[in-house]
Amino acid sequence: MATPAGDAAATRAIVRRNWIWAAGAAGIMLYFGIPATGLDAFAPQRHGWMLFVYTLQFGGGAMALAAVLSLAGVPLALLYDAIVSIFIGVALVVSGVLVYADKPHQAVFNILFGLIFAHSGYRNFREFGLVASLRLWVSEPEESDQP
């Protein structure tokens, strides 16, 4: 984890380094968000597959927004990314548990990627806590900086 930066440019740089990972996650999720398998299964596997597909579709769009906000250097992008990643992680774990009886290999992947997303959300939440401790919203110099 990086140490706190002293100025707004360094804070934006901390936020911007998140964009490539958010964009990669968005691209992969949107690409694989096409409902191809498992929708002909019975409940609860069908519900698990639907949750999986909707997580990929809506989560991919939410991660694309996180990538755009991160690229713009908006400090709240880290908090948004953290919340979205944790929701995606929980949804993937739940879908993995539900589809285990139908396709155990896919269920293991769902759970594994769910844990990865949850950890990413936790990491981004900690990064946001680091950047939020700074004076993010003040763009004018302090009184002691003026001659």
Side-chain angles (χ1 to χ4, degrees):
M1 183 184 311
T3 58
D7 60 357
T11 301
R12 282 191 299 276
I14 290 172
V15 174
R16 282 190 186 131
R17 50 178 198 204
N18 183 52
W19 85 269
I20 190 73
W21 301 108
I28 291 170
M29 290 176 75
L30 290 173
Y31 178 76
F32 287 107
I34 301 168
T37 62
L39 295 182
D40 56 344
F42 296 105
Q45 290 87 12
R46 177 170 168 64
H47 299 301
W49 286 114
M50 289 175 54
L51 178 62
F52 176 66
V53 169
Y54 291 140
T55 299
L56 293 180
Q57 292 173 348
F58 294 118
M63 290 303 290
L65 179 60
V68 169
L69 292 173
S70 295
L71 187 60
V74 178
L76 286 175
L78 291 174
L79 181 63
Y80 173 77
D81 190 328
I83 293 169
V84 167
S85 294
I86 289 173
F87 277 123
I88 290 171
V90 168
L92 286 176
V93 168
V94 169
S95 74
V97 169
L98 290 174
V99 302
Y100 185 77
D102 194 21
K103 290 194 177 183
H105 294 296
Q106 180 66 42
V108 169
F109 280 118
N110 288 9
I111 293 169
L112 176 67
F113 283 111
L115 295 175
I116 290 171
F117 268 97
H119 176 71
S120 173
Y122 171 72
R123 183 183 47 83
N124 282 335
F125 185 74
R126 287 186 57 186
E127 286 277 330
F128 175 73
L130 180 73
V131 216
S133 65
L134 306 172
R135 294 182 54 182
L136 297 176
W137 317 115
V138 179
S139 61
E140 53 196 50
E142 295 180 11
E143 294 176 16
S144 61
D145 292 342
Q146 296 176 355

